Amino acid sequence: MPEPSDASRPQREIVSFVRRGSRLSRSRQDAWDRLARRYVLDLPRGERDTVPDPAARIDPAAVFGRTAPLVVEIGSGQGENIAAAAAAHPERDYLAFEVYIPGIAQTLDRIERAGSPDNVRLVPLDALHSLAILLPERSIHELWIYFPDPWHKSRHHKRRLVNPPLLEVVLPLLAPGGVLRLATDWAEYAGHMRSVLDAEPRLQNLHNDSPRPAGTTTDQVPEDLPELGWAPRYEGRVLTSFERKAGDAGRLVWDIAFRGAAASVAPSPDESEHP
């Protein structure tokens, strides 16, 4: 029987994340049992376990009991960054999206070891398909995306998180002058990120004249990779085990920082040092 043409095949929605195995070790199960009620937002689910019900909402002021600058991290992994940031900056609130349940359990343990700060919450949902439903417009002061899956094969590039559909979701949610911070240890994906962000007129590169990271890298660097426009390493990002492994493998880390429109109205908390 002949294969159906592309036009006749049913079209499937691109899913950036899927729920992976959730079996927990004894220590992670203990952290989950003790801490999830406090830190993990239990939201009603929609058609998949990784997306919210269309009627679900997050009111940051109600969740945190105050109004403060909100930092959102997409793909918080095992929580090294979000736990450290919440402990170091009690004046901000942190919301982390992560679908990998063992990673969330590990994050809970890290939060406790960081002193149990109350300014952080975890959302076990796919951010790409959840943010526009859950959060009000202009509510995010900083959005972090650190070391997302590079989806190396060309046919999988449409699955990359940093693509125009993500910007259509997050840009209406950025507060005036809100900042996007990204990092990757793959030069090709760094170039892809830059091409997506550089093409967006609602964003401004915060480091137009800043050079590439110094050193050599073991992965292939695209010939058309920009020489300028790379952010210095963000001091607010801790050196995670993942980033150490990238360094051990000889790969450079590429940082990117862009600001949303109307920066003069409400500058992001950390960007006064980077005019």
Side-chain angles (χ1 to χ4, degrees):
M1 180 179 294
E3 289 287 330
S5 67
D6 289 343
S8 66
R9 288 192 180 98
Q11 298 299 304
R12 299 180 61 190
E13 179 185 19
I14 297 299
V15 178
S16 59
F17 295 104
V18 294
R19 181 78 72 200
R20 292 181 280 171
S22 57
R23 181 175 297 176
L24 300 179
S25 66
R26 180 176 297 180
S27 62
R28 287 176 173 176
Q29 186 66 59
D30 177 65
W32 183 276
D33 293 342
R34 290 185 297 102
L35 302 169
R37 184 181 296 274
R38 176 179 177 183
Y39 289 108
V40 180
L41 299 185
D42 185 15
L43 300 167
R45 301 300 202 270
E47 60 183 13
R48 296 194 307 274
D49 187 41
T50 55
V51 298
D53 183 276
R57 298 291 185 273
I58 294 175
D59 177 357
V63 167
F64 294 103
R66 64 176 184 174
T67 299
L70 179 65
V71 178
V72 172
E73 182 173 16
I74 298 179
S76 53
Q78 297 188 23
E80 291 161 286
N81 272 302
I82 207 74
H89 294 282
E91 75 281 4
R92 304 181 205 166
D93 292 330
Y94 293 86
L95 197 62
F97 283 77
E98 176 57 60
V99 297
Y100 187 43
I101 297 301
I104 297 175
Q106 184 66 49
T107 302
L108 293 171
D109 180 67
R110 292 186 189 279
I111 291 172
E112 185 175 55
R113 286 191 279 122
S116 301
D118 198 42
N119 59 334
V120 57
R121 296 294 185 274
L122 312 178
V123 185
L125 297 174
D126 175 356
L128 179 62
H129 296 91
S130 302
L131 280 167
I133 296 173
L134 296 176
L135 289 178
E137 291 190 355
R138 299 191 171 197
S139 60
I140 299 175
H141 287 74
E142 288 198 7
L143 180 73
W144 297 350
I145 304 174
Y146 297 144
F147 305 100
D149 192 327
W151 292 103
H152 290 296
K153 295 181 180 179
S154 296
R155 68 176 181 272
H156 291 156
H157 284 184
K158 62 185 178 181
R159 291 182 176 271
R160 288 175 164 176
L161 176 62
V162 183
N163 266 320
L166 175 71
L167 298 186
E168 293 307 313
V169 168
V170 302
L171 288 184
L173 304 179
L174 279 185
V179 174
L180 301 179
R181 300 189 187 278
L182 305 92
T184 180
D185 57 317
W186 293 99
E188 188 277 329
Y189 196 15
H192 171 83
M193 289 178 173
R194 282 290 306 276
S195 67
V196 171
L197 298 174
D198 288 344
E200 175 49 64
R202 291 170 289 181
L203 290 173
Q204 172 193 2
N205 192 329
L206 284 166
H207 303 278
N208 278 317
D209 299 324
S210 182
R212 296 180 179 183
T216 58
T217 185
T218 55
D219 60 320
Q220 185 173 1
V221 177
E223 292 183 1
D224 60 349
L225 193 69
E227 292 287 341
L228 301 176
W230 304 99
R233 190 184 190 282
Y234 176 46
E235 293 181 357
R237 189 180 80 242
V238 301
L239 184 62
T240 64
S241 57
F242 185 95
E243 188 171 349
R244 287 193 188 94
K245 290 178 181 178
D248 292 343
R251 294 192 299 273
L252 292 173
V253 172
W254 306 78
D255 277 80
I256 301 170
F258 276 69
R259 194 196 295 279
S264 60
V265 176
S268 180
D270 274 345
E271 287 305 325
S272 59
E273 66 196 68
H274 301 304

PDB file of all heavy atoms in Angstrom, residues 248-275:
ATOM      1  N   ASP A 248      33.597  20.274  30.676  1.00  0.00           N
ATOM      2  CA  ASP A 248      34.492  19.115  30.634  1.00  0.00           C
ATOM      3  C   ASP A 248      34.575  18.528  29.227  1.00  0.00           C
ATOM      4  O   ASP A 248      35.609  17.967  28.841  1.00  0.00           O
ATOM      5  CB  ASP A 248      34.018  18.044  31.610  1.00  0.00           C
ATOM      6  CG  ASP A 248      34.173  18.465  33.063  1.00  0.00           C
ATOM      7  OD1 ASP A 248      34.929  19.419  33.322  1.00  0.00           O
ATOM      8  OD2 ASP A 248      33.521  17.846  33.929  1.00  0.00           O
ATOM      9  N   ALA A 249      33.485  18.657  28.470  1.00  0.00           N
ATOM     10  CA  ALA A 249      33.465  18.160  27.097  1.00  0.00           C
ATOM     11  C   ALA A 249      34.096  19.140  26.113  1.00  0.00           C
ATOM     12  O   ALA A 249      34.177  18.849  24.915  1.00  0.00           O
ATOM     13  CB  ALA A 249      32.025  17.856  26.670  1.00  0.00           C
ATOM     14  N   GLY A 250      34.527  20.298  26.605  1.00  0.00           N
ATOM     15  CA  GLY A 250      35.218  21.265  25.764  1.00  0.00           C
ATOM     16  C   GLY A 250      34.315  22.224  25.015  1.00  0.00           C
ATOM     17  O   GLY A 250      34.771  22.905  24.099  1.00  0.00           O
ATOM     18  N   ARG A 251      33.048  22.308  25.417  1.00  0.00           N
ATOM     19  CA  ARG A 251      32.135  23.211  24.720  1.00  0.00           C
ATOM     20  C   ARG A 251      32.042  24.548  25.446  1.00  0.00           C
ATOM     21  O   ARG A 251      32.040  24.597  26.678  1.00  0.00           O
ATOM     22  CB  ARG A 251      30.740  22.584  24.604  1.00  0.00           C
ATOM     23  CG  ARG A 251      30.689  21.353  23.734  1.00  0.00           C
ATOM     24  CD  ARG A 251      29.270  20.942  23.423  1.00  0.00           C
ATOM     25  NE  ARG A 251      28.502  20.623  24.621  1.00  0.00           N
ATOM     26  CZ  ARG A 251      28.479  19.422  25.200  1.00  0.00           C
ATOM     27  NH1 ARG A 251      29.212  18.429  24.718  1.00  0.00           N
ATOM     28  NH2 ARG A 251      27.745  19.211  26.274  1.00  0.00           N
ATOM     29  N   LEU A 252      31.951  25.616  24.679  1.00  0.00           N
ATOM     30  CA  LEU A 252      31.719  26.947  25.227  1.00  0.00           C
ATOM     31  C   LEU A 252      30.253  27.110  25.605  1.00  0.00           C
ATOM     32  O   LEU A 252      29.375  26.423  25.065  1.00  0.00           O
ATOM     33  CB  LEU A 252      32.097  28.016  24.207  1.00  0.00           C
ATOM     34  CG  LEU A 252      33.574  28.166  23.861  1.00  0.00           C
ATOM     35  CD1 LEU A 252      33.741  29.149  22.705  1.00  0.00           C
ATOM     36  CD2 LEU A 252      34.375  28.629  25.079  1.00  0.00           C
ATOM     37  N   VAL A 253      29.990  28.041  26.496  1.00  0.00           N
ATOM     38  CA  VAL A 253      28.612  28.403  26.849  1.00  0.00           C
ATOM     39  C   VAL A 253      28.310  29.775  26.268  1.00  0.00           C
ATOM     40  O   VAL A 253      29.081  30.723  26.442  1.00  0.00           O
ATOM     41  CB  VAL A 253      28.412  28.399  28.376  1.00  0.00           C
ATOM     42  CG1 VAL A 253      27.032  28.962  28.726  1.00  0.00           C
ATOM     43  CG2 VAL A 253      28.562  26.986  28.926  1.00  0.00           C
ATOM     44  N   TRP A 254      27.198  29.854  25.561  1.00  0.00           N
ATOM     45  CA  TRP A 254      26.780  31.076  24.875  1.00  0.00           C
ATOM     46  C   TRP A 254      25.606  31.693  25.625  1.00  0.00           C
ATOM     47  O   TRP A 254      24.546  31.084  25.743  1.00  0.00           O
ATOM     48  CB  TRP A 254      26.381  30.747  23.438  1.00  0.00           C
ATOM     49  CG  TRP A 254      27.456  30.015  22.677  1.00  0.00           C
ATOM     50  CD1 TRP A 254      27.761  28.692  22.766  1.00  0.00           C
ATOM     51  CD2 TRP A 254      28.365  30.570  21.732  1.00  0.00           C
ATOM     52  NE1 TRP A 254      28.802  28.376  21.931  1.00  0.00           N
ATOM     53  CE2 TRP A 254      29.206  29.518  21.283  1.00  0.00           C
ATOM     54  CE3 TRP A 254      28.566  31.856  21.217  1.00  0.00           C
ATOM     55  CZ2 TRP A 254      30.211  29.718  20.347  1.00  0.00           C
ATOM     56  CZ3 TRP A 254      29.562  32.060  20.282  1.00  0.00           C
ATOM     57  CH2 TRP A 254      30.377  30.994  19.844  1.00  0.00           C
ATOM     58  N   ASP A 255      25.793  32.908  26.142  1.00  0.00           N
ATOM     59  CA  ASP A 255      24.746  33.620  26.866  1.00  0.00           C
ATOM     60  C   ASP A 255      24.114  34.674  25.967  1.00  0.00           C
ATOM     61  O   ASP A 255      24.802  35.328  25.164  1.00  0.00           O
ATOM     62  CB  ASP A 255      25.319  34.292  28.107  1.00  0.00           C
ATOM     63  CG  ASP A 255      25.431  33.343  29.279  1.00  0.00           C
ATOM     64  OD1 ASP A 255      26.396  32.550  29.324  1.00  0.00           O
ATOM     65  OD2 ASP A 255      24.542  33.382  30.154  1.00  0.00           O
ATOM     66  N   ILE A 256      22.834  34.846  26.132  1.00  0.00           N
ATOM     67  CA  ILE A 256      22.066  35.803  25.339  1.00  0.00           C
ATOM     68  C   ILE A 256      21.121  36.539  26.279  1.00  0.00           C
ATOM     69  O   ILE A 256      20.517  35.923  27.162  1.00  0.00           O
ATOM     70  CB  ILE A 256      21.245  35.086  24.240  1.00  0.00           C
ATOM     71  CG1 ILE A 256      22.179  34.308  23.299  1.00  0.00           C
ATOM     72  CG2 ILE A 256      20.401  36.075  23.452  1.00  0.00           C
ATOM     73  CD1 ILE A 256      21.441  33.377  22.349  1.00  0.00           C
ATOM     74  N   ALA A 257      20.971  37.851  26.109  1.00  0.00           N
ATOM     75  CA  ALA A 257      20.042  38.637  26.915  1.00  0.00           C
ATOM     76  C   ALA A 257      19.371  39.683  26.029  1.00  0.00           C
ATOM     77  O   ALA A 257      20.047  40.487  25.390  1.00  0.00           O
ATOM     78  CB  ALA A 257      20.760  39.298  28.087  1.00  0.00           C
ATOM     79  N   PHE A 258      18.060  39.665  26.020  1.00  0.00           N
ATOM     80  CA  PHE A 258      17.254  40.631  25.262  1.00  0.00           C
ATOM     81  C   PHE A 258      16.239  41.267  26.198  1.00  0.00           C
ATOM     82  O   PHE A 258      15.771  40.635  27.144  1.00  0.00           O
ATOM     83  CB  PHE A 258      16.519  39.945  24.115  1.00  0.00           C
ATOM     84  CG  PHE A 258      17.331  39.772  22.860  1.00  0.00           C
ATOM     85  CD1 PHE A 258      18.398  38.882  22.831  1.00  0.00           C
ATOM     86  CD2 PHE A 258      17.037  40.486  21.716  1.00  0.00           C
ATOM     87  CE1 PHE A 258      19.157  38.703  21.685  1.00  0.00           C
ATOM     88  CE2 PHE A 258      17.784  40.322  20.552  1.00  0.00           C
ATOM     89  CZ  PHE A 258      18.839  39.428  20.538  1.00  0.00           C
ATOM     90  N   ARG A 259      15.914  42.528  25.907  1.00  0.00           N
ATOM     91  CA  ARG A 259      14.906  43.237  26.686  1.00  0.00           C
ATOM     92  C   ARG A 259      13.666  43.484  25.825  1.00  0.00           C
ATOM     93  O   ARG A 259      13.768  43.757  24.630  1.00  0.00           O
ATOM     94  CB  ARG A 259      15.459  44.574  27.169  1.00  0.00           C
ATOM     95  CG  ARG A 259      14.599  45.213  28.255  1.00  0.00           C
ATOM     96  CD  ARG A 259      14.913  46.679  28.449  1.00  0.00           C
ATOM     97  NE  ARG A 259      16.241  46.963  28.944  1.00  0.00           N
ATOM     98  CZ  ARG A 259      16.601  46.882  30.223  1.00  0.00           C
ATOM     99  NH1 ARG A 259      15.747  46.460  31.119  1.00  0.00           N
ATOM    100  NH2 ARG A 259      17.827  47.201  30.588  1.00  0.00           N
ATOM    101  N   GLY A 260      12.508  43.411  26.469  1.00  0.00           N
ATOM    102  CA  GLY A 260      11.270  43.724  25.789  1.00  0.00           C
ATOM    103  C   GLY A 260      11.069  45.215  25.632  1.00  0.00           C
ATOM    104  O   GLY A 260      11.891  46.035  26.064  1.00  0.00           O
ATOM    105  N   ALA A 261       9.981  45.587  25.033  1.00  0.00           N
ATOM    106  CA  ALA A 261       9.705  46.988  24.710  1.00  0.00           C
ATOM    107  C   ALA A 261       9.492  47.817  25.973  1.00  0.00           C
ATOM    108  O   ALA A 261       9.219  47.297  27.057  1.00  0.00           O
ATOM    109  CB  ALA A 261       8.472  47.072  23.817  1.00  0.00           C
ATOM    110  N   ALA A 262       9.613  49.119  25.795  1.00  0.00           N
ATOM    111  CA  ALA A 262       9.329  50.111  26.840  1.00  0.00           C
ATOM    112  C   ALA A 262      10.217  49.923  28.055  1.00  0.00           C
ATOM    113  O   ALA A 262       9.763  49.949  29.195  1.00  0.00           O
ATOM    114  CB  ALA A 262       7.852  50.069  27.238  1.00  0.00           C
ATOM    115  N   ALA A 263      11.526  49.750  27.812  1.00  0.00           N
ATOM    116  CA  ALA A 263      12.458  49.518  28.917  1.00  0.00           C
ATOM    117  C   ALA A 263      12.499  50.684  29.890  1.00  0.00           C
ATOM    118  O   ALA A 263      12.756  50.509  31.071  1.00  0.00           O
ATOM    119  CB  ALA A 263      13.857  49.252  28.368  1.00  0.00           C
ATOM    120  N   SER A 264      12.229  51.893  29.372  1.00  0.00           N
ATOM    121  CA  SER A 264      12.323  53.054  30.245  1.00  0.00           C
ATOM    122  C   SER A 264      11.191  53.104  31.265  1.00  0.00           C
ATOM    123  O   SER A 264      11.252  53.841  32.233  1.00  0.00           O
ATOM    124  CB  SER A 264      12.296  54.337  29.412  1.00  0.00           C
ATOM    125  OG  SER A 264      11.083  54.430  28.676  1.00  0.00           O
ATOM    126  N   VAL A 265      10.149  52.307  31.054  1.00  0.00           N
ATOM    127  CA  VAL A 265       9.000  52.345  31.960  1.00  0.00           C
ATOM    128  C   VAL A 265       9.277  51.575  33.239  1.00  0.00           C
ATOM    129  O   VAL A 265       9.029  52.031  34.338  1.00  0.00           O
ATOM    130  CB  VAL A 265       7.743  51.766  31.252  1.00  0.00           C
ATOM    131  CG1 VAL A 265       6.570  51.728  32.229  1.00  0.00           C
ATOM    132  CG2 VAL A 265       7.408  52.588  30.028  1.00  0.00           C
ATOM    133  N   ALA A 266       9.809  50.338  33.091  1.00  0.00           N
ATOM    134  CA  ALA A 266      10.035  49.502  34.276  1.00  0.00           C
ATOM    135  C   ALA A 266      11.221  48.595  34.040  1.00  0.00           C
ATOM    136  O   ALA A 266      11.069  47.462  33.638  1.00  0.00           O
ATOM    137  CB  ALA A 266       8.781  48.671  34.575  1.00  0.00           C
ATOM    138  N   PRO A 267      12.442  49.102  34.268  1.00  0.00           N
ATOM    139  CA  PRO A 267      13.614  48.280  34.010  1.00  0.00           C
ATOM    140  C   PRO A 267      13.631  47.032  34.880  1.00  0.00           C
ATOM    141  O   PRO A 267      13.143  47.031  35.998  1.00  0.00           O
ATOM    142  CB  PRO A 267      14.791  49.203  34.348  1.00  0.00           C
ATOM    143  CG  PRO A 267      14.219  50.254  35.213  1.00  0.00           C
ATOM    144  CD  PRO A 267      12.790  50.418  34.820  1.00  0.00           C
ATOM    145  N   SER A 268      14.189  45.968  34.330  1.00  0.00           N
ATOM    146  CA  SER A 268      14.297  44.706  35.043  1.00  0.00           C
ATOM    147  C   SER A 268      15.265  44.824  36.203  1.00  0.00           C
ATOM    148  O   SER A 268      16.193  45.633  36.166  1.00  0.00           O
ATOM    149  CB  SER A 268      14.766  43.633  34.064  1.00  0.00           C
ATOM    150  OG  SER A 268      14.881  42.391  34.690  1.00  0.00           O
ATOM    151  N   PRO A 269      15.082  44.065  37.272  1.00  0.00           N
ATOM    152  CA  PRO A 269      15.866  44.249  38.489  1.00  0.00           C
ATOM    153  C   PRO A 269      17.368  44.212  38.302  1.00  0.00           C
ATOM    154  O   PRO A 269      18.091  44.928  38.985  1.00  0.00           O
ATOM    155  CB  PRO A 269      15.405  43.076  39.375  1.00  0.00           C
ATOM    156  CG  PRO A 269      14.055  42.730  38.878  1.00  0.00           C
ATOM    157  CD  PRO A 269      14.078  43.022  37.408  1.00  0.00           C
ATOM    158  N   ASP A 270      17.881  43.377  37.407  1.00  0.00           N
ATOM    159  CA  ASP A 270      19.323  43.178  37.316  1.00  0.00           C
ATOM    160  C   ASP A 270      20.000  43.986  36.228  1.00  0.00           C
ATOM    161  O   ASP A 270      21.198  43.960  36.098  1.00  0.00           O
ATOM    162  CB  ASP A 270      19.638  41.706  37.028  1.00  0.00           C
ATOM    163  CG  ASP A 270      19.704  40.903  38.320  1.00  0.00           C
ATOM    164  OD1 ASP A 270      19.787  41.538  39.383  1.00  0.00           O
ATOM    165  OD2 ASP A 270      19.643  39.682  38.254  1.00  0.00           O
ATOM    166  N   GLU A 271      19.248  44.692  35.378  1.00  0.00           N
ATOM    167  CA  GLU A 271      19.846  45.240  34.190  1.00  0.00           C
ATOM    168  C   GLU A 271      20.385  46.656  34.343  1.00  0.00           C
ATOM    169  O   GLU A 271      20.898  47.226  33.397  1.00  0.00           O
ATOM    170  CB  GLU A 271      18.855  45.181  33.024  1.00  0.00           C
ATOM    171  CG  GLU A 271      18.648  43.789  32.487  1.00  0.00           C
ATOM    172  CD  GLU A 271      19.959  43.114  32.079  1.00  0.00           C
ATOM    173  OE1 GLU A 271      20.872  43.802  31.592  1.00  0.00           O
ATOM    174  OE2 GLU A 271      20.076  41.904  32.251  1.00  0.00           O
ATOM    175  N   SER A 272      20.262  47.241  35.547  1.00  0.00           N
ATOM    176  CA  SER A 272      20.843  48.568  35.713  1.00  0.00           C
ATOM    177  C   SER A 272      22.356  48.534  35.541  1.00  0.00           C
ATOM    178  O   SER A 272      22.974  49.533  35.195  1.00  0.00           O
ATOM    179  CB  SER A 272      20.497  49.093  37.114  1.00  0.00           C
ATOM    180  OG  SER A 272      20.993  48.216  38.106  1.00  0.00           O
ATOM    181  N   GLU A 273      22.953  47.363  35.749  1.00  0.00           N
ATOM    182  CA  GLU A 273      24.386  47.238  35.601  1.00  0.00           C
ATOM    183  C   GLU A 273      24.803  47.041  34.156  1.00  0.00           C
ATOM    184  O   GLU A 273      25.984  47.065  33.841  1.00  0.00           O
ATOM    185  CB  GLU A 273      24.869  46.038  36.427  1.00  0.00           C
ATOM    186  CG  GLU A 273      24.342  44.702  35.909  1.00  0.00           C
ATOM    187  CD  GLU A 273      24.483  43.590  36.916  1.00  0.00           C
ATOM    188  OE1 GLU A 273      23.789  43.651  37.947  1.00  0.00           O
ATOM    189  OE2 GLU A 273      25.262  42.672  36.647  1.00  0.00           O
ATOM    190  N   HIS A 274      23.831  46.804  33.277  1.00  0.00           N
ATOM    191  CA  HIS A 274      24.121  46.560  31.871  1.00  0.00           C
ATOM    192  C   HIS A 274      23.321  47.542  31.025  1.00  0.00           C
ATOM    193  O   HIS A 274      22.228  47.245  30.578  1.00  0.00           O
ATOM    194  CB  HIS A 274      23.727  45.136  31.471  1.00  0.00           C
ATOM    195  CG  HIS A 274      24.432  44.088  32.280  1.00  0.00           C
ATOM    196  ND1 HIS A 274      25.786  44.015  32.377  1.00  0.00           N
ATOM    197  CD2 HIS A 274      23.948  43.076  33.024  1.00  0.00           C
ATOM    198  CE1 HIS A 274      26.126  42.993  33.146  1.00  0.00           C
ATOM    199  NE2 HIS A 274      25.032  42.413  33.553  1.00  0.00           N
ATOM    200  N   PRO A 275      23.776  48.752  30.821  1.00  0.00           N
ATOM    201  CA  PRO A 275      23.023  49.757  30.072  1.00  0.00           C
ATOM    202  C   PRO A 275      22.802  49.346  28.646  1.00  0.00           C
ATOM    203  O   PRO A 275      23.575  48.564  28.101  1.00  0.00           O
ATOM    204  CB  PRO A 275      23.892  51.016  30.198  1.00  0.00           C
ATOM    205  CG  PRO A 275      25.285  50.504  30.455  1.00  0.00           C
ATOM    206  CD  PRO A 275      25.124  49.233  31.245  1.00  0.00           C
TER     207      PRO A 275
END
